[in-house]
Amino acid sequence: MSPSRDTFNGSADKFGELNLSITGLGVEYPPYQLYPEALDTLCKRHYPDTPAMAKVRAINNYTGIDSRSAIGTVDHPMANMDRAPTITELCEVFLKDGVALAVTAARKALHEAQLSPADITHVVSTTCTNSANPGFDHYVCKGLGITQPVEKVLLHGIGCSGGLASLRTAANLALGSSFRGRKARVLVIALEISSLLVRSELDSVNELQETRIGVTLFSDCASSLVLSNGIGGEDAEPVYELLGWDHRMIPDTEQDLGFDVDPLGWKVVLSPRVPKLAGAAVSPTFTDLLSTLPNLPPNYKNASDFDWALHPGGATILSGVERAMSISAEHMRASYDTYINHGNSSSATIISVMDRLRQKDMDEIAPGGKVKDFVVGCAFGPGIAIEMCMLKRNLNHVRRTLATTGEATPPETESEGSRSEGEAEETDADIRDAKEKGTQLNEKLSNVHPEVPEQGDSLSEALNGVELD
């Protein structure tokens, strides 16, 4: 059932020199963390102990997630009413608390790109947890003080693939500007507030006696990036260059993965086939993407030659792609780290993974201690849609944050023979901190998706189906 790419004659199907670069990234998680016991608390407060509820609570302990980022604690008023919140009430929170997260994430991306809001020419945004008109992007632009005319696009209906779909859309807009000889500085924004859908999902578990596990996976996040076409003024040093992309649909899978609107928010649609379908589609997509990039170095041929920024839809998605592509958890170290510490924040997650991948403690646990120059980005969404892109990481880039930071040392890469003693200097504190975090993550990587002990086949099957969107 794997999809295949249409082929074209000559060089029309090849990516040339696009001159597209990501010059800034920003991620903003809310301040609260929901630990596994939080779901138990809500279940005990508001629902009877039924077989379906017991199964969901059991699955909650075996997702591999340590904590999920959320805009409120387990005592948030909207999670503790005598009913589930309506879509109107959810929208009010999204436009207040969610937009504030998105404004902060965008400011971080602009700061790193060394741009002001007045420099932005286009805004591409996405969410699957709000349907307001005007869209949330309108309010983010107001919050940023963007008053100049900008071309805005708000993408909906694409779920967890939204982050990379937005990057692809931004790239095509930027290339259109390049064709016209015009400057493009595209602000990409992804925002998801999923945590307050918990009561609606638990209502369905209780009333329908269904094993619905979105409540065990999803979290809240805003993320942003700036994409430049390099025309019209000096750019900040790129974090990543965008070299090419692939988008496709797996045929006849509309019923396997979705996120349907409901008077009480949105309801996750998720079949047990999703991990297998997604895993089977990665290899042909990767092969076809490579075929469009003739200028890659000759030592970048196999999946294990690259680092991977995979949307962490769930533990079996991560482990399934590992097996399908013969790569290790260390290749996807930032995906695992994000999943373990924050959960699945749908469309906003992939930009968070890209941001996490370029940080010092992630470099410490690269496969064989060597960071890759090239990174494959990949995400899955309703449809089932597959988004994949190729990035070239700037290994000399020094991360700029809104907080004051010291100088960073570029990581050792496979394309470098060695570096001088001066180039390799880091403070002892930095080294100890990075290695300690790397050791802790390595331990977690081997235990993200343990075998479910003393449970029937039904629980294992349900766990296999929890992993995406």
Side-chain angles (χ1 to χ4, degrees), residues 49-65:
D49 186 14
T50 63
M53 197 68 70
K55 187 181 291 186
V56 170
R57 290 173 59 189
I59 290 171
N60 185 49
N61 292 315
Y62 292 98
T63 61
I65 297 172

Side-chain angles (χ1 to χ4, degrees), residues 285-294 296 300-301 306 390:
T285 308
F286 173 73
T287 299
D288 287 347
L289 178 59
L290 286 192
S291 73
T292 67
L293 299 166
L296 288 177
Y300 282 88
K301 296 180 179 178
F306 300 82
M390 183 65 69

Side-chain angles (χ1 to χ4, degrees), residues 28 94-105:
E28 186 70 7
F94 186 99
L95 294 180
K96 178 177 178 290
D97 298 335
V99 165
L101 291 177
V103 169
T104 301

Side-chain angles (χ1 to χ4, degrees), residues 390-426:
M390 183 65 69
L391 304 166
K392 183 178 181 182
R393 182 177 165 190
N394 178 4
L395 294 154
N396 294 308
H397 184 270
V398 177
R399 186 170 179 240
R400 291 185 87 242
T401 65
L402 285 171
T404 303
T405 59
E407 289 297 311
T409 303
E412 184 177 357
T413 77
E414 294 196 332
S415 62
E416 297 176 304
S418 62
R419 291 178 299 176
S420 69
E421 189 173 324
E423 287 175 315
E425 285 183 357
E426 294 177 307

